[in-house]
């Protein structure tokens, strides 16, 4: 019974982690059809923001949850203005350019901080499930995951900004004729996606080593989850993260984390073979 | 040789390569020959990406997966069998098999180009993680201990047939590497001149039209992908024998990025472009590696972004069109020129 509880808790944590690392990519891809290969490096920047701020004596929660999205959102804004906006509608070129950004950011951070692993202190302790001790920080990850997904849903569904966002993505010309500036909306969307990636990086900083190459560990899972999710950003991310997170954690539990990752990838490739449009391309088409 | 006569450019490239092949050991020191061998290996790798991306239009972001599988296959087979010819052939065959399996899922799933990029990238990341996690003596294939992130040391270099105990020296390995490059180039030229190659290019240009004429784009893309994987595997074998050592970094994203940047800079839709681009980028990386203040990735990233924004066609096509324009300017009288350029701009 204790073991079942532990496993269920781990599965939940795995799903929340996957949803967190995916949602920023999902917003940029789902809204703008841009595959942002610098996503992992946006997360890395968020983690470095958390490290730098907490070392400088800023409150740990502020430096993990508030500063990373602000800093990385700003970086995303600048990159969108200087590079990405010239490449809209050229999918391959945006992929290449964001890959260039990704390499550039890795190089920049390596030059500044050196190629070493830093860490952020764990802000909370552990609690017990029966005879097993688990990290209370997993509860934080689950909490942040739920808050991010639900507030994003509210933002898109219930606010004027969300309406304008969805309208512009559906038909830029029509919304422009109604007085919206599509360029400004694209800019905001890209910055929002970057900020979400930064938040994920900040939240995951205490449980993962912070190093210039850390983005590479997440990027593959994030991509495969976005593709598996399909066109509906939030429902798709949630469902795909649920499915892949479940498979990943169960297989990891039965064997090793690396085999778990491979199982995740293999199941994703098979899923995309069966549902080329992702889960929400076939089911729940009307969700967002 | 009918093929080579039909294309004077290819003929020049092959003759120049053969001259380079015999000149390098005469001119350069042993260290220089070793560097040149690495250039030949990355050039073969560049050819594989150049064919898959530039001609077949398949956006493979994980070509390093096949380089790595080729290199590891060569290492494992050479250590176990002691016969480097068989190991070399396996280093080509195993990546092709893997590409066939992966390509079946991608192309027969009819997923879009961007998804192909993401999936190939994901596969190379997973292979990197997988090989990284094999430290410890319990992970071995036959006599070859995989060694996790430390990699496999002491890989036997190429040896001539029938004489496994007399491995080639640096210069011998250089001849093999350069020979492999020339063979790969001529092979791809031959493929592209054949009916198969024309269909492949036709599919890149307009998939729907090619399909309506009666060709199955899925099959042609799959076969091109498999051919590209075989060439990347050959590059991997040369790479493994060059250093006598292989580690999971061959699967790393920087490796795929390096070859993509090479092809982009050299020029899409050419074969000489990727070769020159790969050599140029490897040279830049070597130079950048000598200083320690700035990480080489920063330079690679800036070059990639700059080329995407400013010269998306690559250097070789741009240079070709400049040369064509110069010739044209020299030959055409001024009065006609204005008229023709007006027509051109309209068309």
């Amino acid at each position: 019974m204790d073991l079942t509880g532990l496993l269920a808790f781990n599965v939940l944590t795995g799903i929340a982690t996957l949803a967190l690392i995916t949602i920023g990519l999902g917003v940029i891809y789902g809204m703008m059809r841009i595959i942002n290969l610098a996503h992992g490096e946006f997360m890395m920047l968020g983690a470095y923001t958390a490290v730098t701020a907490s070392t400088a004596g800023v409150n740990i929660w502020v430096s993990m949850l508030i500063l990373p999205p602000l800093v990385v959102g700003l970086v995303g804004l600048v990159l969108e203005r200087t590079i990405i906006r010239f490449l809209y509608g050229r999918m391959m070129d945006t992929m290449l350019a964001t890959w260039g950004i990704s390499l550039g950011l890795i190089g920049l951070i390596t030059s500044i901080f050196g190629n070493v692993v830093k860490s952020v202190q764990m802000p909370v302790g552990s609690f017990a499930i029966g005879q097993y001790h688990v990290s209370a920080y997993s509860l934080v990850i689950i909490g942040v995951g739920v808050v991010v997904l639900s507030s994003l849903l509210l933002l898109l569904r219930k606010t004027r900004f969300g309406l304008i966002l969805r309208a512009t993505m559906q038909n830029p010309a029509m919304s422009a004729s109604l007085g919206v500036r599509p360029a400004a909306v694209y800019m905001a969307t890209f910055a929002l996606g970057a900020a979400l990636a930064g938040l994920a990086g900040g939240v995951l900083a205490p449980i993962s080593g912070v190093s210039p190459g850390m983005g590479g560990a997440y990027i593959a899972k994030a991509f495969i989850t976005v593709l598996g999710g399909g066109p509906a950003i939030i429902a798709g991310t949630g469902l795909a993260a649920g499915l892949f997170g479940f498979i990943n954690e169960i297989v990891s539990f039965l064997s090793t984390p690396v085999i778990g990752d491979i199982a995740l990838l293999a199941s994703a490739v098979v899923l995309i073979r069966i549902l080329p449009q992702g889960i929400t391309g076939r089911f729940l088409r009307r969700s967002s | 040789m009918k093929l080579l006569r039909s294309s004077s450019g290819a003929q020049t490239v092959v003759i120049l390569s053969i001259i380079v092949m015999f000149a390098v050991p005469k001119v350069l020191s042993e260290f220089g020959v070793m560097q040149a061998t690495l250039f030949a290996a990355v050039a073969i790798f560049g050819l594989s990406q150049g064919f898959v991306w530039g001609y077949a239009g398949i956006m493979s972001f994980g070509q390093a997966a096949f380089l790595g599988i080729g290199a590891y296959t060569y290492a494992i087979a050479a250590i176990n069998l002691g016969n480097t010819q068989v190991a070399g052939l396996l280093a080509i065959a195993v990546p092709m098999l893997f590409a066939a399996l992966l390509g079946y899922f991608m192309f027969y799933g009819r997923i879009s180009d961007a998804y192909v990029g993401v999936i190939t990238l994901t596969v190379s990341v997973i292979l990197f993680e997988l090989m990284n996690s094999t430290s410890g003596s319990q992970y071995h294939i036959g006599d070859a201990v995989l060694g996790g992130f430390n990699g496999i040391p002491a890989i036997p270099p190429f040896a001539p047939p029938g004489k496994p105990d007399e491995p080639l020296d640096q210069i011998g390995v250089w001849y093999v590497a350069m020979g492999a490059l020339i063979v790969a180039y001529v092979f791809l030229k031959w493929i592209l001149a054949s009916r198969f190659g024309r269909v492949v290019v036709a599919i890149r240009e307009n998939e729907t039209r090619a399909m309506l004429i009666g060709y199955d784009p899925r099959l042609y893309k799959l076969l091109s992908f498999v051919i590209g994987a075989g060439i990347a595997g050959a590059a991997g074998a040369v790479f493994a024998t060059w250093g006598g050592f292989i580690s999971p970094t061959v699967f790393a994203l920087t490796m795929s990025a390096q070859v993509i940047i090479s092809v982009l800079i050299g020029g899409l839709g050419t074969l000489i472009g990727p070769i020159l681009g790969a050599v140029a980028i490897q040279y830049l990386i070597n130079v950048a590696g000598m200083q320690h203040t700035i990480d080489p990735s920063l330079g690679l990233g800036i070059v990639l972004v700059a080329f995407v924004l400013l010269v998306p066609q690559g250097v070789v096509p741009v240079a070709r069109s400049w040369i064509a324009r110069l010739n044209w300017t020299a030959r055409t009288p001024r009065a006609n020129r204005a008229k023709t350029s007006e027509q051109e701009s309209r068309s």
Side-chain angles (χ1 to χ4, degrees):
Chain A
M1 194 57 225
D2 291 355
L3 195 62
T4 320
L6 177 73
L7 199 55
F9 183 72
N10 281 346
V11 166
L12 269 183
T13 314
I15 291 172
T17 312
L18 205 51
L20 264 182
I21 64 177
T22 307
I23 191 70
L25 192 70
V27 165
I28 293 179
Y29 178 67
M31 290 287 185
M32 311 166 73
R33 296 285 128 185
I34 285 180
I35 295 192
N36 175 23
L37 288 174
H39 178 73
E41 280 60 46
F42 284 172
M43 287 180 60
M44 181 266 287
L45 279 187
Y48 267 93
T49 312
V51 170
T52 315
S54 66
T55 327
V58 180
N59 177 300
I60 182 74
W61 296 107
V62 174
S63 53
M64 266 175 12
L65 299 178
I66 313 285
L67 289 177
L70 289 179
V71 171
V72 181
L74 202 65
V75 171
L77 195 76
V78 171
L79 288 173
E80 199 273 345
R81 285 289 90 188
T82 49
I83 297 170
I84 308 293
R85 72 180 166 124
F86 300 108
L87 300 171
Y88 285 133
R90 289 154 59 188
M91 193 172 211
M92 284 306 151
D93 287 347
T94 44
M95 280 175 101
L96 292 167
T98 50
W99 200 345
I101 293 171
S102 140
L103 289 171
L105 288 176
I106 294 177
L108 187 69
I109 295 295
T110 312
S111 306
I112 298 173
F113 292 92
N115 193 4
V116 289
V117 180
K118 296 180 178 256
S119 58
V120 178
Q121 203 193 347
M122 193 75 84
V124 287
S126 63
F127 68 98
I129 298 180
Q131 52 181 330
Y132 300 99
H133 282 274
V134 294
S135 166
Y137 194 72
S138 298
L139 288 178
V140 176
I141 294 178
I142 296 172
V144 173
V146 170
V147 169
V148 165
L149 285 193
S150 45
S151 50
L152 203 58
L153 189 66
L154 286 179
L155 179 77
L156 286 181
R157 278 284 169 196
K158 300 288 176 200
T159 65
R160 192 179 152 71
F161 175 72
L163 188 68
I164 290 175
L165 215 67
R166 286 185 290 136
T168 311
M169 300 314 156
Q170 220 167 56
N171 193 334
M174 178 60 79
S175 50
S177 69
L178 291 172
V180 175
R181 272 183 37 227
V185 176
Y186 289 143
M187 188 177 78
T189 314
F190 196 82
L192 176 68
L196 288 170
L199 176 67
V203 171
L204 296 180
I207 57 162
S208 68
V210 179
S211 68
M214 68 180 280
Y218 296 109
I219 195 156
K221 284 188 207 171
F223 276 126
I224 220 75
T225 311
V226 168
L227 297 193
I233 300 165
I234 297 163
T237 302
L239 284 173
L243 178 65
F244 296 150
F246 180 77
I247 293 172
N248 190 3
E249 289 298 324
I250 296 291
V251 177
S252 299
F253 175 76
L254 295 174
S255 54
T256 67
V258 173
I259 307 285
D261 280 356
I262 292 167
L264 190 162
L265 169 84
S267 54
V269 172
V270 172
L271 179 84
I272 288 170
R273 174 71 180 85
I274 302 167
L275 300 173
Q277 301 298 317
I279 299 173
T280 54
R282 174 68 65 86
F283 310 106
L284 295 169
R285 282 193 203 180
R286 301 174 131 265
S287 54
S288 73
Chain B
M1 286 293 105
K2 186 177 142 207
L3 153 77
L4 290 186
R5 235 178 288 131
S6 68
S7 155
S8 64
Q11 211 169 18
T12 321
V13 169
V14 169
I15 291 170
L16 279 179
S17 313
I18 292 173
I19 293 173
V20 168
M21 176 160 134
F22 287 104
V24 159
K26 299 270 185 298
V27 180
L28 296 179
S29 64
E30 196 156 320
F31 178 71
V33 173
M34 213 175 146
Q35 294 247 304
T37 311
L38 175 62
F39 287 152
V42 291
I44 301 172
F45 189 34
L47 271 182
S48 104
Q49 180 85 30
F51 174 68
V52 166
W53 182 18
Y55 286 96
I58 299 164
M59 192 66 258
S60 171
F61 277 180
Q63 204 66 9
F66 306 117
L67 177 82
I69 294 177
Y72 268 95
T73 306
Y74 175 80
I76 293 164
I79 290 172
N80 279 312
L81 304 174
N83 182 335
T84 50
Q85 279 80 46
V86 176
L89 290 179
L90 281 174
I92 296 172
V94 173
M96 288 173 87
L97 270 179
F98 184 73
L101 191 70
L102 180 66
Y104 167 75
F105 274 100
M106 295 196 304
F107 302 122
Y108 282 76
R110 287 190 182 281
I111 60 179
S112 73
D113 291 350
Y115 285 21
V116 170
V118 169
I119 289 184
T120 47
L121 185 138
T122 313
V123 166
S124 70
V125 169
I126 296 282
L127 284 171
F128 176 69
E129 278 185 29
L130 181 68
M131 289 319 294
N132 242 341
S133 72
T134 56
S135 22
S137 51
Q138 73 272 31
Y139 294 103
H140 61 88
I141 298 177
D143 296 331
V145 177
L146 296 179
F149 51 81
N150 291 320
I152 304 179
I155 301 170
F158 290 129
K163 294 180 194 166
D165 300 327
E166 297 169 33
L168 296 176
D169 57 358
Q170 266 318 320
I171 293 174
V173 172
W174 155 255
Y175 283 131
V176 173
M178 201 59 200
L181 175 61
I182 295 172
V183 168
Y185 177 80
V186 172
F187 173 69
L188 285 180
K189 273 283 171 199
W190 172 70
I191 290 233
L192 288 168
S194 71
R195 184 185 170 79
F196 173 81
R198 286 169 194 281
V199 176
V200 166
V201 172
I203 290 169
R204 178 196 69 188
E205 289 301 318
N206 191 333
E207 189 165 335
T208 317
R209 185 179 287 182
M211 201 163 63
L212 291 175
I213 295 171
Y215 298 105
D216 185 353
R218 300 174 299 180
L219 180 66
Y220 282 88
K221 281 189 173 178
L222 179 62
L223 290 175
S224 318
F225 191 61
V226 169
I227 292 170
I231 293 171
V238 174
F239 193 70
T241 198
W242 165 76
F245 163 75
I246 200 75
S247 80
T249 47
V250 282
F251 291 114
L253 283 183
T254 37
M255 210 71 197
S256 297
Q258 186 184 329
V259 73
I260 281 179
I261 297 170
S262 306
V263 173
L264 186 73
I265 288 176
L268 279 171
T270 66
L271 286 181
I272 189 68
I275 294 179
L276 297 177
V279 171
I281 288 293
Q282 185 61 44
Y283 178 75
L284 282 182
I285 290 175
N286 287 358
V287 170
M290 287 175 200
Q291 51 85 37
H292 295 285
T293 39
I294 292 174
D295 193 76
S297 300
L298 183 58
L300 277 184
I302 292 173
V303 168
L304 180 50
V305 172
F307 265 84
V308 171
L309 286 176
L310 306 174
V311 204
Q313 319 92 312
V315 169
V316 169
V318 169
R320 268 186 199 159
S321 69
W322 274 351
I323 292 168
R325 205 181 300 161
L326 280 180
N327 281 344
W328 180 75
T329 323
R331 280 191 215 132
T332 328
R334 190 171 285 273
N336 288 354
R337 215 184 292 160
K339 213 192 255 171
T340 329
S341 73
E342 196 179 289
Q343 282 166 350
E344 263 182 7
S345 64
R346 219 181 288 150
S347 62

